Amino acid sequence: MKEEQPLELGLSVNCLEEHKAEGVEVIDVSGFSPFASYYVLATAPNPRALGALKDHLCEMFENNGIDVPVSEGKPESGWVIVQGGEVICQLFLAANRKEIGLADLLRTLGAKQEN
């Protein structure tokens, strides 16, 4: 039976979708990550939107009593990270998301753990 998903996962996805993030993707990393159970990847159309998404996530976590131990990156760099509880939200500009290929890397690591 699948474990129940943490509150912060649903809140993260809802927040990102509500604020028009693109390509929201959830990857379960619980099998190989010692510090998170899920990665939520999303794309912002421009640096200003990237900064706003980061701010919305931090505020949403704080309003729901979820500690934010990590909030890194600057919108001008093309990526930011916000961690809330067991969830790490990695937000990118489209070119950076494609170049870094984090989703493929996480899936590859997950597949290696299953074997």
Side-chain angles (χ1 to χ4, degrees):
M1 189 166 117
K2 181 85 172 161
E3 237 181 79
E4 190 173 319
Q5 295 179 340
L7 171 66
E8 53 269 27
L9 179 60
L11 290 171
S12 301
V13 171
N14 289 341
C15 180
L16 291 168
E17 289 176 346
E18 180 181 314
H19 292 288
K20 309 296 186 218
E22 301 165 359
V24 177
E25 183 176 1
V26 175
I27 300 174
D28 183 337
V29 296
S30 60
F32 60 90
S33 174
F35 51 86
S37 295
Y38 295 92
Y39 259 79
V40 177
L41 308 178
T43 303
N46 56 57
R48 183 174 175 182
L50 186 60
L53 287 170
K54 177 182 177 182
D55 293 344
H56 288 304
L57 281 170
C58 288
E59 181 179 349
M60 178 272 308
F61 284 137
E62 290 169 6
N63 288 345
N64 285 281
I66 299 167
D67 189 35
V68 180
V70 177
S71 178
E72 295 288 333
K74 296 186 186 300
E76 303 79 34
S77 70
W79 64 269
V80 297
I81 296 172
V82 177
Q83 181 177 357
E86 298 178 48
V87 176
I88 295 177
C89 299
Q90 179 85 44
L91 313 176
F92 299 96
L93 296 178
N96 297 80
R97 185 171 180 174
K98 183 177 178 180
E99 179 182 344
I100 293 169
L102 185 58
D104 293 336
L105 174 64
L106 293 172
R107 280 193 215 92
T108 299
L109 289 171
K112 287 182 179 183
Q113 290 298 314
E114 290 174 5
N115 294 330

